[in-house]
Amino acid sequence: MYPSTKFQEIPRISLILAACAVCIGGGFQYGYNMGIISSPGKYVMKCINETWMERYNTEISEDMPSLFWTIIVSIYPIGGLVGSWIAGALSVKCGRKHGLLINNIFALLGAGFVGISYFSCCFELLIVYRFLLGVNGGVALCVQSMYLIEIAPRALRGTLGMGTSISLSLGIVIGQVIGLKELLGREELWPALLSTPAVLSILQLITLPWCPESPRYLLIDKGNETACDEALKQLHGEGGYLKEKAEIERERRDDAGVKPKKPWELFRDPSIRWQLASTMVINLFYQINGIGAMYYYATPVFAEAGITEDKIPYVTIGTGLSEFLPTILCGILIESLGRKVLIIGGYFLMALWCLGITLTLTFAEASPWVPYLSIAFIFAFIISFGMGPGGVSRALTSEIFTQAVRPAACIIGLTVNWIGFFILSMVFPYIVEGLGQYCFLVFLVINLMIAVYTLFLVPETKNKTFTEIQAAFQINNKTFQKIKAVFQTKTKKQNQQQQMSVAEEVLATYL
């Protein structure tokens, strides 16, 4: 491994601007869409009720507006799943940069459907709106993560890769703020609030064309050395681009003749078995670790602590900030502490806070101060998530694969992520209904499981080339092959012994 240099530790302005241009229509857009969606819910349901009355001259059943709103909200991960699969083709055929530019079409179309829905009194079109935003989010998270990892110098790869998580957390906070009644959170402005993602897409369409394409994509995938040199000079300057190009050249030689793989081809490749397994595990546990439960329980716990209903939206912004600020700190520490320490430490702390929340919710009526302790545990859980899994997981997915495998691997990882998101959103209310506050004990076990998995099966990737990271995973692959061979040998011997025993019994019968 090469030691970090001063050049590597201080990024150029052009590199920072490229990361910002990508994030504004990527992670920030995704987080913003998550942040604004809770505010207009009651107004949209009221609009559905009035529209139904005008359309059919009869009152809608009490549960139908809530059902339609649930569908509008829940269709988002379905769109994200579709977007994840579109992302692979876009990133390979059009490139990382142009794939992100094309992706803005989905957000702009979605904003258009809000206007059509409002003026035509067709609330069903809001389902299409939310689906298109989900597609936009699925493409953005996949392609943005690849772009940030591929343009970063090795010493800053973790920090720059954190751009997705940092921008996502910031987007949630800004979305919550914009959704306040003092801004766009009023009844007459809900169509404008739901259309604001178009502004972010326009900003990216203005800024991203000035940024270079991924140098790795240009050289390894397209074989365009001249364009690669120009991109590297723009990102890293005349004094540093040669070292970055040398690393890309080594990876190109190692993967000579290897074409970008399809997602289904990865399952048949034993050489990346543990990278793929780790990607799927990390993305699944990212969704089912209990962070959604914390936001779900936050409002009733705030109310029980005596916070009035009109003040709860402002306190809720605090939950968003408690995830955003630690994510920034995680980005600062990731290159010094490493990925594993942050992930393992975060999950162990989250397990501890789950135990605390279970106890305080169980004995909430024991004393007036207990609900405040519940609030403290909720914030501690969110902070631990932002400092560890919430910050590192998305960067790690793109970091553990080489160029030919990365797009397909990101598709698989995000597919698992979106499926986990959808299943949890459907199942979680029933889990809460059945287990109540004891559902956090389930999350306690889940967090301990992923911490142990990361400790033993995920190698540290800090300051390693993509080829070196792959070699580190090969140790797990070889160990698995040895265990498999021992098991097969043992099974073969047992089968032979059984066959001999049968033969001896047959001979004994005839003799």
Side-chain angles (χ1 to χ4, degrees):
M1 294 189 297
Y2 298 95
S4 298
T5 64
K6 185 177 180 181
F7 163 76
Q8 289 175 311
E9 293 170 358
I10 304 176
R12 284 170 56 86
I13 295 297
S14 56
L15 182 64
I16 297 174
L17 292 178
C20 292
V22 169
C23 290
I24 193 68
F28 186 87
Q29 173 84 283
Y30 173 87
Y32 182 83
N33 290 329
M34 298 290 288
I36 65 172
I37 197 61
S38 60
S39 176
K42 57 184 177 181
Y43 306 133
V44 173
M45 286 190 281
K46 180 181 178 182
C47 180
I48 291 172
N49 196 18
E50 293 173 351
T51 302
W52 191 277
M53 188 68 181
E54 293 176 3
R55 188 185 297 176
Y56 301 107
N57 200 26
T58 182
E59 290 187 0
I60 193 172
S61 64
E62 292 184 4
D63 296 333
M64 286 301 288
S66 178
L67 175 62
F68 273 114
W69 180 244
T70 301
I71 294 173
I72 291 169
V73 174
S74 300
I75 201 69
Y76 189 77
I78 301 298
L81 181 61
V82 173
S84 299
W85 284 84
I86 293 175
L90 274 178
S91 63
V92 173
K93 294 182 179 179
C94 303
R96 306 342 184 200
K97 170 184 166 181
H98 291 96
L100 288 169
L101 290 172
I102 294 170
N103 182 44
N104 288 292
I105 295 173
F106 298 111
L108 294 173
L109 284 175
F113 273 105
V114 174
I116 296 172
S117 171
Y118 181 73
F119 290 110
S120 66
C121 296
C122 183
F123 58 83
E124 293 86 351
L125 291 179
L126 291 178
I127 299 175
V128 181
Y129 151 78
R130 191 70 176 163
F131 175 81
L132 289 172
L133 286 186
V135 175
N136 174 269
V139 173
L141 290 181
C142 184
V143 183
Q144 172 186 319
S145 298
M146 288 190 286
Y147 182 86
L148 291 175
I149 289 294
E150 291 174 11
I151 68 173
R154 193 187 341 161
L156 292 173
R157 196 172 59 224
T159 301
L160 209 62
M162 285 286 299
T164 300
S165 299
I166 293 172
S167 60
L168 191 156
S169 302
L170 178 60
I172 291 175
V173 174
I174 299 300
Q176 291 171 336
V177 172
I178 296 296
L180 293 174
K181 60 185 179 180
E182 289 83 358
L183 297 174
L184 296 181
R186 299 194 297 272
E187 181 175 358
E188 66 274 14
L189 294 178
W190 70 260
L193 175 62
L194 295 182
S195 299
T196 48
V199 177
L200 302 177
S201 290
I202 292 171
L203 284 175
Q204 187 174 71
L205 288 171
I206 294 172
T207 57
L208 189 56
W210 298 96
C211 303
E213 179 57 89
S214 160
R216 291 181 180 274
Y217 173 80
L218 292 171
L219 187 59
I220 299 175
D221 292 291
K222 293 299 181 181
N224 191 336
E225 188 169 353
T226 302
C228 174
D229 288 345
E230 292 176 357
L232 286 171
K233 289 176 183 178
Q234 184 176 347
L235 292 168
H236 306 298
E238 294 284 347
Y241 89 95
L242 287 175
K243 188 170 185 178
E244 296 301 321
K245 184 180 179 182
E247 183 179 320
I248 300 174
E249 285 279 13
R250 282 194 297 272
E251 185 177 343
R252 182 170 71 159
R253 287 195 301 270
D254 292 338
D255 289 343
V258 180
K259 295 181 179 179
K261 295 191 175 184
K262 307 295 183 184
W264 52 87
E265 293 177 337
L266 303 192
F267 293 98
R268 300 196 298 265
D269 187 349
S271 67
I272 58 169
R273 177 180 286 112
W274 283 106
Q275 288 102 307
L276 190 61
S278 298
T279 294
M280 296 173 70
V281 168
I282 288 169
N283 278 277
L284 177 62
F285 280 78
Y286 181 88
Q287 290 295 345
I288 64 173
N289 57 44
I291 187 65
M294 293 301 160
Y295 287 109
Y296 180 90
Y297 265 100
T299 298
V301 169
F302 292 157
E304 194 168 344
I307 300 172
T308 58
E309 185 177 354
D310 60 324
K311 296 292 190 297
I312 285 179
Y314 303 96
V315 182
T316 302
I317 293 174
T319 62
L321 285 172
S322 65
E323 182 178 343
F324 168 62
L325 296 177
T327 304
I328 294 178
L329 182 59
C330 181
I332 296 171
L333 297 176
I334 190 171
E335 295 299 350
S336 56
L337 294 180
R339 286 60 159 163
K340 288 186 66 169
V341 171
L342 292 171
I343 291 181
I344 294 169
Y347 276 122
F348 270 121
L349 286 174
M350 289 160 66
L352 178 63
W353 307 137
C354 281
L355 179 60
I357 291 167
T358 302
L359 293 174
T360 53
L361 290 177
T362 301
F363 301 103
E365 298 179 358
S367 175
W369 56 265
V370 175
Y372 293 98
L373 192 57
S374 296
I375 293 176
F377 282 135
I378 288 174
F379 276 95
F381 185 98
I382 297 172
I383 290 170
S384 300
F385 175 77
M387 270 291 294
V392 182
S393 297
R394 296 191 183 280
L396 192 63
T397 300
S398 296
E399 195 175 25
I400 62 178
F401 293 97
T402 55
Q403 191 75 10
V405 181
R406 188 175 296 116
C410 286
I411 290 173
I412 293 173
L414 283 173
T415 296
V416 173
N417 186 290
W418 286 108
I419 291 175
F421 184 1
F422 178 74
I423 292 175
L424 189 64
S425 64
M426 294 290 100
V427 175
F428 179 69
Y430 299 101
I431 295 176
V432 173
E433 185 178 346
L435 298 178
Q437 70 272 20
Y438 298 106
C439 69
F440 289 103
L441 296 179
V442 177
F443 296 126
L444 183 153
V445 174
I446 288 173
N447 288 323
L448 289 178
M449 287 172 59
I450 182 59
V452 172
Y453 179 93
T454 305
L455 177 63
F456 290 105
L457 296 175
V458 179
E460 180 56 68
T461 61
K462 181 181 71 172
N463 202 28
K464 292 181 180 177
T465 66
F466 296 118
T467 304
E468 290 169 342
I469 294 170
Q470 176 145 336
F473 271 102
Q474 290 301 320
I475 297 174
N476 290 342
N477 291 328
K478 291 176 182 178
T479 303
F480 177 81
Q481 292 297 333
K482 289 179 181 178
I483 295 173
K484 183 178 178 182
V486 170
F487 180 78
Q488 289 175 341
T489 302
K490 186 176 180 181
T491 304
K492 186 177 180 181
K493 288 182 179 179
Q494 289 176 346
N495 290 337
Q496 288 174 348
Q497 290 174 353
Q498 289 175 356
Q499 290 173 1
M500 291 178 66
S501 298
V502 171
E504 289 173 355
E505 290 178 3
V506 172
L507 287 172
T509 302
Y510 282 101
L511 293 175

